[in-house]
Amino acid sequence: MFSLTFLENLLKVITSENKAGKTITSTAEKWCMESILASSKQMTASTKQTTEVFQMISNLGEKNLWSPLELLNLLGALINHHHNKGCISIMKILHLMQTYRVSSKWTDKKMQSVISLLETCETEDMIQHLEKSLEDEEIKTIDTLFDEIREMKDIGEETLSKSYEIVSHVTDLIKTGEIKTHSNIKKAKDLSQSMETANLQEVLAVLCNAVNLKIAEGKWWPRINQMISWCLLALSDNGKLLEMGTGEGKSCVIAMFAALRVFRGEKVDVVSSSSVLCQRDAEEWENFYSYFGITVDTNTNKTDDKSRKECYQKDIIYGTIEAFAADHLRQIFEMKDVRPDRRYECIIIDEVDSLLLDQGVQLTYLSSPMVSMEHLNTILAMIWSHVQQYGFLSSGDQTFVQCPPASFFKAIFDSINTEETEIDDPLDILRIAEETNTVPQGFTEDIHKGDKKDIIEKLKTVNQDAMIHFFEEMEDYVPYGFTVYTLNDEGLLNLRKLSPYNTNQIPDLKFLVLDGGLCCPLYNSEEILIKPIAELISKKIQYTPCTDSNDKISIPGFLRNLIETKMSLWVENAFLAIQLKEGRDYVLENNNVCPVDFRSTGIIELNKKWGDGLQQFVEIKHQIKLSTISAVTNYVSNVSFFQKYQGIYGTTGTLGSEKDILFLQDLYPSLSACRMPTFNRKKLYEVQGTLKTTSKEWKSEIKEVVMAEISTNSYREGRAALVICETINKAKEIHKELKNSIPGKIILYCRSDTESLSQIEKVLDPGDVIVATNLAGRGTDIKVSKQVNKNGGLFVILSFLSENTRVELQAFGRTARKGKPGSAQIIMCTEHMQHDFKSAMSVEEAKSIRDRLAAEKINYMMNDISEMDLREDLFSEYCETLHDIYKKTDGDDRKVIVAIMNEFWGIWLQIKSEDIEQQKKSELQKSLREDLSAARQQTSSKLHRVQAFITTSILEICFWMIKIGTMVPGYLKKP
C-alpha cells in the first residue's frame, strides 16, 4: 500500500511540474501509471474481470485519449461510485468510452465531463446518459470544419472564404426548405461557366437538390464537408487531390463535380481502381445524371469497337485505367475509330493513391501473338525441364534453392573446384569415405563395378548421421567449409552442422542430407544458377541456315539476337514460376492462368498476362495449353496517360505521407492536395496489434479474437467481424478454421463475381463474419445492423502486414464509417512475413520496417518513370512511322506492311531492352530511325516482286507468311 501511495503522489508531482513548464518528459508519468496498474493487479484477487478493467484503462492511455493522472482520477471515480460485483458496470462504462473514443476533453450537451458525470450520476442513469449522448453526437458545424481546414494550411484564405460563402448559403437554403425551389437546370448550366460566388451558390444548390430528389429520395442532403469538397474542386483550375475519410461520401462529391464539368461543356472520365467499383458508381448515380440530361456509361464491359465508340460518345465515362489506356492505344496505334472526337479534358480519379502510388508505374498494352514467336515455346519447355528439378526450402529465417538430389560423393565433387586437390573423380571422394569408415571397405569397388540399380541399393546402407560426420572429415581434405541440414517433420531445414570457418577466404558450401546416401547442394539464391543454365540451353540451339544436327533444335536465324538477349531472363522467370503460388499470386480460370493483385486490391486480373515467358512457365507448371509469348508493340503508362489531361482531380481515403504527396507533385507540377476533416468525430478504435510466431498460433489467435468480439459478454452483446487475409489461400484457411464455430452466417469473399457481390452486400447482424481478401479492403461498403453499431460496430482484423500504411488504413476504413463506432486490429504471423521483416519482434517494429521500405519504393518509382519516358518516346517515334504507312497505303498492302512492321518493332524492343534499361536515349533513337527506314524500304520492295528464295530475315519470313495466308495480322488485345 505504501508503494501505491508513493507512486500516486510521485505521478501528481511530475504532472504538476510538467504543467509548470519544467522539462520533465511524460515517460515518467507513463511509468508511474503502469507501475500503479501492475501493483494493483497483484494486490487484488487478480480475477479475469479486474484484469480486463485495468487493461481497458491502460488502452485509453495508449491511445493518448487520457493522460496518466487523468486515468488515475478516472479509475478512482469508477471504483468509488460505480463498483459492483464482477466490475460489470465499470466495464460497461469503459466499453462505451473505448467504443466511441471518449477522451478527457469530451463533454455532453450540458458541458459536463466524464469525471463530473461519474461523480454525480447513479450507475444506470450514467450508462444510459452516456450511451444516448454518444449515439446522438452532433455533426460538426460549418465553422468547425473550416477551422480544421485552416489549421492544416493546405488551402489559401481566398479560396476558403469563397467556399465558406457558397456552402453557408446552400446550408441555409436546406435549413429553410427554400432549396427545393432551386431546380432551374438551364440556369445552373449557364451560370456554371462563372467562378463568381453567387453563381456557384446557385449551381451547388441545384446539384444538392438533385441529389436529394434522385439519390436520397428526399431523405437526406449532401453533408457540409461534401459541399466544401465540391467547392475546392470547382474553384481549382489546375487540378486538386482531396483526402476524404473512408465512408465520407466521395462518390457523391465526384458525381456533383463531374456534372459541373459537363455543364461547362467538357467530357469527363472517372477512373476507379476496379471494374466492380466503377460499374457500381455509374449505376448508382445514373438517375442523378439523367435528371440533367447527362449521359453516362462504363468502358470496362465493352467487347467490340462499335460498343466502345458508342460508349465514348457519352458525357461521363466510368472505367479503370486499364480500359481507358487500352482504348487510347486502339485509337492511336490500331487506328480504330474508338474515341475519335473525345478530347482529354477532365479526369477524376477515385482512390487516387491506389492508381498513382500503390500500383507504381503501370504499363497497359495491347499484345499480338506472333506466329514467329511460337518457335520460342520449344526453348521455354527446355528451360522448364531443367529448372523444375530445383526447389525452394526454408530454414525459418532464410530460403535456399535446393538442387536435384545426387549420391553424396558426386554432389560434393560437382560442387568443389578440384584443381588444387588430389581429387580427380567422384570415386576419389568415395575412397575418402572408406578411409574415414563412413562406408565399409570395398564399397568404392562395388559402386564402380555395379549397375545403376546396384548403386541405389548400396547407397541405402549409408545413413544420415554417417554422411553428416563425413562432411566434417572432408574439411581436412579440401579448402572448403560445409554447412549441413536435414529436413524436420514440417518440411523445414534443420541445421545439423555449421562450417567451422568464419572467413570469406574459405568458401562455405551448404548441403541437404537425405536418406539413402543422397544429398542436395543448397544455394542462397537462384542467381548463381541462371548463367550456367542459360549457357547449357544455348548450346542445344542451332540457327538457320545450318546443317541439321540431331542433338540440337533448329530456330530461325532472325530470332538469334532476341534469344541471346532474353535467355537469362527466361531462366530467371522459370525459377520465379516455381515460387509463384496458386491462390496467392494467381488462380486458374477455365484453364487460363490469371494473376491476382493480392498485395493491394485483391482483384483477379482476368485480362492480364505476365511477360517474358513467366506466363508460359506457369502454364507448363500446371500442364495446361501453352500460349505463345506476345511481343509488346504498343504501350502507355498510367503516369503519361494522366498527363494528357488538362488537370487531374482526385479523391481518396488515404492520400499518404508528405513524401508521397511531393512525389505526385513532381509528376504533376500543377497539382495541389488537401486533407478534408470528417463530418463527425472519427470513432475508430485500434486495438494493440499481435505478432504470432507460427501459423498455428496465428489461426488460433484470430479465432479467439473473432469469437470474443461476436459473442455476448457481461458488459455488451455480440458484434460482427471482418477478417481480411493476404491471399485467397489464407482466406480459405481462416474460413475453414471459423466456419463450424460462428453462430451467425459466415461469408467467404475472394472473388468479384455477381454471386460473391450479392453476398457481401447483405447486412451483417451480431454473430456474422466475413472472411475476405483485399477485395473487401478498398471501396467496399460493409453494411451492419443498428444492433451491431450499438454493440460497438464492425470489428476488423487485418491478418497480415499490408504493403504500406494506405492499404492498412483502407482495410480499417471498412468500419467506423459515417460517424459510427468500430474497431480494428492487426494479427500477423512471422512465418508469413518476407525476409526483410523476419527480425521484427512486434507489430510496431514490422510497421517501422514497412514504412521505410515504402519510402524507398518512391525512389525506385522515379527510376521507373525515367525508363518509361524513354520507352514512350521510342513508341511515339514508331507511331509516326506507322501513321505515315496508313497515309500512303491501303487495302491488303497496308495490312501486310503494318503486320510486318509491328513484328519487327516488337522484336526490336525486346532486343534493345538492356539498352532501354540503361537509358541510352540518343543511341536508341538513332538506331530506331535507321532500322525503321531500312525495314520500310525492304518491306516496300517485296510488295512489287514475287520470288522463290530461302530467307533468314524476320521481314522476309513475316512477309511471306502473311502473303500466303499462313499468318493473319493479329487483332491486338490486352494481355
Side-chain angles (χ1 to χ4, degrees):
M1 185 61 70
F2 170 79
S3 298
L4 280 173
T5 306
F6 170 75
L7 287 167
E8 184 177 348
N9 291 332
L10 179 61
L11 175 59
K12 291 177 180 177
V13 169
I14 292 171
T15 304
S16 64
E17 288 184 344
N18 269 332
K19 288 179 180 175
K22 296 187 178 180
T23 57
I24 300 176
T25 66
S26 62
T27 305
E29 296 179 61
K30 291 179 180 178
W31 176 82
C32 288
M33 190 64 204
E34 288 168 2
S35 300
I36 291 170
L37 291 174
S39 301
S40 298
K41 287 180 187 178
Q42 291 176 0
M43 289 183 64
T44 63
S46 209
T47 63
K48 181 181 178 183
Q49 289 84 358
T50 54
T51 301
E52 192 162 358
V53 167
F54 288 132
Q55 185 60 56
M56 293 168 93
I57 287 285
S58 179
N59 289 344
L60 290 173
E62 286 176 1
K63 302 305 172 190
N64 297 317
L65 297 172
W66 295 68
S67 72
L69 183 59
E70 288 168 341
L71 283 176
L72 191 64
N73 294 332
L74 173 65
L75 185 58
L78 286 166
I79 293 171
N80 292 333
H81 299 282
H82 303 283
H83 185 269
N84 60 0
K85 186 177 180 181
C87 303
I88 292 173
S89 295
I90 292 177
M91 285 194 286
K92 281 184 178 179
I93 294 168
L94 287 173
H95 168 66
L96 283 170
M97 293 176 64
Q98 186 170 292
T99 297
Y100 288 93
R101 286 184 59 86
V102 175
S103 73
S104 58
K105 307 292 186 296
W106 180 89
T107 60
D108 65 6
K109 292 179 181 178
K110 295 181 179 179
M111 304 306 292
Q112 298 178 96
S113 68
V114 173
I115 297 291
S116 174
L117 290 169
L118 287 171
E119 293 174 343
T120 58
C121 295
E122 294 294 325
T123 299
E124 285 304 314
D125 293 341
M126 168 69 195
I127 293 172
Q128 288 177 15
H129 177 71
L130 191 60
E131 196 171 53
K132 189 173 189 311
S133 297
L134 292 169
E135 286 180 359
D136 297 341
E137 209 167 45
E138 292 183 355
I139 64 172
K140 296 174 185 176
T141 65
I142 184 171
D143 292 312
T144 300
L145 287 168
F146 272 97
D147 286 343
E148 290 183 16
I149 295 172
R150 279 191 178 91
E151 286 177 12
M152 297 178 197
K153 299 179 180 179
D154 292 329
I155 304 294
E157 187 56 40
E158 183 181 347
T159 301
L160 284 178
S161 298
K162 200 167 188 178
S163 299
Y164 183 88
E165 288 185 55
I166 296 168
V167 175
S168 58
H169 175 77
V170 176
T171 303
D172 289 341
L173 292 177
I174 293 172
K175 287 178 182 176
T176 61
E178 190 184 340
I179 193 168
K180 293 183 179 180
T181 64
H182 291 256
S183 56
N184 190 329
I185 296 171
K186 184 179 184 305
K187 181 180 178 182
K189 290 182 178 179
D190 292 340
L191 295 176
S192 67
Q193 307 297 329
S194 169
M195 299 291 268
E196 294 297 321
T197 301
N199 295 336
L200 288 175
Q201 286 173 342
E202 179 61 24
V203 174
L204 180 57
V206 171
L207 289 168
C208 288
N209 195 29
V211 171
N212 176 260
L213 285 171
K214 294 299 178 180
I215 302 299
E217 297 177 342
K219 297 175 184 175
W220 52 267
W221 298 87
R223 291 188 289 266
I224 294 172
N225 67 331
Q226 291 174 313
M227 289 189 267
I228 297 172
S229 299
W230 180 88
C231 286
L232 296 179
L233 294 173
L235 292 170
S236 172
D237 292 326
N238 301 317
K240 176 75 69 179
L241 301 184
L242 296 181
E243 180 180 88
M244 298 179 65
T246 52
E248 293 290 303
K250 294 187 292 293
S251 59
C252 178
V253 175
I254 288 172
M256 291 169 64
F257 180 61
L260 170 70
R261 301 304 289 242
V262 174
F263 289 174
R264 292 175 177 175
E266 296 177 351
K267 298 290 187 181
V268 179
D269 296 339
V270 181
V271 185
S272 187
S273 58
S274 79
S275 58
V276 174
L277 297 180
C278 67
Q279 288 173 21
R280 179 200 70 184
D281 289 347
E283 290 171 9
E284 184 179 335
W285 289 90
E286 186 173 8
N287 287 340
F288 168 79
Y289 291 129
S290 62
Y291 176 78
F292 297 108
I294 294 172
T295 55
V296 63
D297 203 348
T298 56
N299 64 8
T300 53
N301 54 0
K302 304 300 182 283
T303 57
D304 59 79
D305 293 335
K306 182 182 178 184
S307 60
R308 291 186 185 107
K309 184 175 182 179
E310 290 173 356
C311 173
Y312 281 99
Q313 291 170 349
K314 304 291 174 63
D315 298 313
I316 298 172
I317 298 171
Y318 284 76
T320 61
I321 177 61
E322 293 86 0
F324 277 111
D327 290 336
H328 164 74
L329 291 171
R330 290 185 179 97
Q331 182 71 35
I332 68 159
F333 178 75
E334 292 186 336
M335 308 295 175
K336 291 183 176 178
D337 201 24
V338 173
R339 52 176 297 167
D341 304 319
R342 192 181 188 89
R343 297 186 300 277
Y344 298 91
E345 295 174 324
C346 176
I347 187 168
I348 307 172
I349 307 173
D350 190 14
E351 306 294 358
V352 67
D353 62 308
S354 175
L355 294 174
L356 294 182
L357 293 169
D358 294 342
Q359 294 187 17
V361 182
Q362 176 182 307
L363 271 184
T364 299
Y365 54 89
L366 307 169
S367 66
S368 175
M370 301 179 184
V371 174
S372 59
M373 304 293 273
E374 289 182 4
H375 294 284
L376 302 179
N377 288 349
T378 306
I379 297 174
L380 297 182
M382 289 169 63
I383 292 172
W384 181 256
S385 66
H386 198 90
V387 169
Q388 70 167 342
Q389 300 174 64
Y390 298 83
F392 289 85
L393 289 172
S394 173
S395 63
D397 59 354
Q398 187 176 357
T399 300
F400 296 97
V401 179
Q402 174 194 357
C403 294
S407 58
F408 72 92
F409 54 91
K410 186 168 190 316
I412 295 172
F413 180 82
D414 289 342
S415 300
I416 64 176
N417 183 351
T418 60
E419 286 183 7
E420 298 179 6
T421 70
E422 295 180 1
I423 298 171
D424 298 318
D425 186 271
L427 291 178
D428 290 337
I429 293 175
L430 198 52
R431 291 187 183 96
I432 296 173
E434 273 193 42
E435 293 173 14
T436 57
N437 296 318
T438 303
V439 296
Q441 295 298 314
F443 194 90
T444 307
E445 188 67 20
D446 292 341
I447 291 290
H448 179 64
K449 291 180 178 178
D451 58 22
K452 186 176 181 180
K453 187 176 180 182
D454 291 336
I455 293 172
I456 292 172
E457 289 302 316
K458 274 281 184 186
L459 285 171
K460 286 180 181 178
T461 64
V462 185
N463 63 49
Q464 282 189 345
D465 290 338
M467 281 193 286
I468 294 167
H469 177 70
F470 178 63
F471 278 102
E472 292 182 20
E473 300 284 357
M474 278 298 297
E475 287 168 345
D476 294 332
Y477 291 85
V478 294
Y480 293 91
F482 296 99
T483 297
V484 181
Y485 295 87
T486 55
L487 287 177
N488 65 18
D489 294 338
E490 295 176 350
L492 295 174
L493 291 172
N494 180 31
L495 180 63
R496 297 291 299 275
K497 175 197 172 306
L498 267 174
S499 168
Y501 307 113
N502 190 20
T503 172
N504 293 330
Q505 294 178 342
I506 300 178
D508 174 23
L509 301 182
K510 299 176 179 67
F511 286 87
L512 167 66
V513 171
L514 304 171
D515 291 323
L518 303 177
C519 65
C520 307
L522 298 174
Y523 294 112
N524 293 336
S525 166
E526 68 272 18
E527 289 180 12
I528 195 171
L529 297 166
I530 290 172
K531 185 178 179 181
I533 293 174
E535 289 175 350
L536 179 68
I537 301 299
S538 296
K539 289 176 182 177
K540 297 180 179 179
I541 301 170
Q542 61 181 359
Y543 298 97
T544 59
C546 60
T547 56
D548 286 338
S549 175
N550 292 332
D551 58 346
K552 292 186 178 183
I553 62 166
S554 296
I555 300 292
F558 69 85
L559 291 172
R560 182 176 198 138
N561 286 343
L562 171 63
I563 293 168
E564 290 176 349
T565 301
K566 291 288 186 178
M567 181 66 78
S568 293
L569 180 57
W570 292 337
V571 175
E572 182 181 338
N573 279 341
F575 277 107
L576 178 56
I578 293 174
Q579 298 177 76
L580 295 181
K581 292 183 179 179
E582 183 182 358
R584 183 189 70 180
D585 304 281
Y586 63 91
V587 295
L588 297 180
E589 291 280 325
N590 301 318
N591 280 333
N592 290 314
V593 174
C594 302
V596 177
D597 178 20
F598 75 93
R599 296 195 185 280
S600 181
T601 63
I603 292 172
I604 298 172
E605 299 175 299
L606 298 174
N607 294 321
K608 180 177 178 179
K609 287 185 179 180
W610 288 305
D612 289 320
L614 181 57
Q615 182 80 18
Q616 287 69 32
F617 288 128
V618 178
E619 289 166 350
I620 298 172
K621 175 180 173 180
H622 288 281
Q623 299 181 14
I624 60 179
K625 185 179 178 182
L626 187 62
S627 61
T628 300
I629 286 184
S630 298
V632 177
T633 57
N634 56 91
Y635 42 81
V636 62
S637 70
N638 50 348
V639 174
S640 66
F641 182 78
F642 293 141
Q643 287 172 339
K644 296 180 185 300
Y645 291 83
Q646 297 167 10
I648 296 175
Y649 299 87
T651 62
T652 181
T654 48
L655 197 49
S657 66
E658 291 303 315
K659 187 167 185 177
D660 293 332
I661 294 171
L662 288 173
F663 169 71
L664 293 178
Q665 289 174 337
D666 281 344
L667 294 181
Y668 312 101
S670 63
L671 203 58
S672 61
C674 173
R675 288 184 165 90
M676 291 296 299
T678 56
F679 78 92
N680 204 337
R681 187 170 61 85
K682 190 73 173 174
K683 303 179 183 71
L684 173 67
Y685 185 86
E686 184 178 348
V687 180
Q688 183 75 30
T690 301
L691 176 61
K692 292 299 177 181
T693 306
T694 67
S695 186
K696 185 177 180 181
E697 291 175 352
W698 170 74
K699 284 191 282 190
S700 176
E701 178 72 8
I702 290 174
K703 183 176 182 179
E704 185 178 330
V705 171
V706 167
M707 295 308 298
E709 293 296 335
I710 67 174
S711 303
T712 299
N713 60 29
S714 60
Y715 57 86
R716 62 146 177 82
E717 295 181 19
R719 305 164 68 180
L722 166 66
V723 184
I724 298 180
C725 301
E726 186 174 24
T727 68
I728 294 171
N729 289 344
K730 291 287 188 294
K732 288 178 178 177
E733 279 184 46
I734 296 299
H735 180 265
K736 183 179 179 182
E737 184 81 11
L738 295 175
K739 68 178 182 181
N740 294 326
S741 304
I742 302 303
K745 58 180 177 284
I746 181 166
I747 298 166
L748 179 64
Y749 180 51
C750 299
R751 309 178 60 81
S752 55
D753 54 42
T754 305
E755 184 179 348
S756 299
L757 287 170
S758 65
Q759 290 289 314
I760 204 78
E761 289 172 356
K762 293 179 180 178
V763 175
L764 299 183
D765 293 313
D768 292 343
V769 176
I770 295 174
V771 180
T773 61
N774 262 332
L775 264 180
R778 183 183 285 274
T780 306
D781 190 5
I782 308 291
K783 300 177 181 68
V784 299
S785 65
K786 289 183 179 179
Q787 190 60 42
V788 168
N789 279 326
K790 183 179 175 64
N791 300 341
L794 181 69
F795 189 86
V796 174
I797 293 176
L798 186 60
S799 66
F800 63 98
L801 184 69
S802 57
E803 193 173 27
N804 55 57
T805 305
R806 295 185 305 278
V807 176
E808 178 184 311
L809 293 177
Q810 284 288 347
F812 287 179
R814 299 315 98 204
T815 189
R817 296 165 71 85
K818 301 176 184 176
K820 301 299 182 185
S823 47
Q825 182 180 15
I826 294 175
I827 302 176
M828 49 191 280
C829 176
T830 306
E831 276 185 14
H832 305 158
M833 293 160 67
Q834 297 174 35
H835 181 70
D836 289 331
F837 298 90
K838 293 291 186 182
S839 62
M841 302 300 291
S842 67
V843 172
E844 287 69 28
E845 272 189 60
K847 282 186 177 184
S848 178
I849 296 169
R850 184 267 310 275
D851 294 343
R852 174 177 56 78
L853 294 174
E856 290 174 3
K857 181 183 175 183
I858 296 292
N859 297 328
Y860 298 140
M861 285 172 64
M862 289 305 298
N863 293 333
D864 290 343
I865 287 167
S866 298
E867 182 183 320
M868 284 306 105
D869 287 344
L870 174 55
R871 285 185 178 274
E872 295 200 43
D873 286 344
L874 295 170
F875 178 54
S876 295
E877 193 146 339
Y878 175 66
C879 281
E880 289 179 15
T881 299
L882 202 58
H883 293 173
D884 191 54
I885 292 171
Y886 270 86
K887 287 178 184 176
K888 295 179 178 178
T889 61
D890 57 19
D892 289 341
D893 284 356
R894 176 193 285 174
K895 287 182 180 180
V896 171
I897 294 175
V898 167
I900 293 171
M901 292 299 293
N902 283 346
E903 291 233 4
F904 168 79
W905 159 243
I907 292 178
W908 186 93
L909 268 179
Q910 295 200 52
I911 291 171
K912 299 291 185 179
S913 57
E914 191 172 325
D915 288 345
I916 293 173
E917 287 173 11
Q918 294 173 6
Q919 298 188 37
K920 298 178 179 178
K921 184 172 183 178
S922 55
E923 293 176 32
L924 285 164
Q925 288 178 327
K926 181 183 177 184
S927 172
L928 180 60
R929 291 189 196 103
E930 292 173 354
D931 293 343
L932 285 177
S933 176
R936 282 195 69 176
Q937 289 176 11
Q938 193 173 357
T939 305
S940 298
S941 67
K942 292 198 184 309
L943 285 173
H944 301 98
R945 56 189 176 87
V946 178
Q947 61 179 25
F949 60 90
I950 298 174
T951 178
T952 59
S953 160
I954 176 176
L955 293 172
E956 292 170 338
I957 286 182
C958 292
F959 175 81
W960 290 109
M961 290 177 77
I962 293 170
K963 201 74 177 175
I964 65 175
T966 58
M967 172 175 150
V968 179
Y971 288 99
L972 304 182
K973 60 182 180 181
K974 182 180 178 294

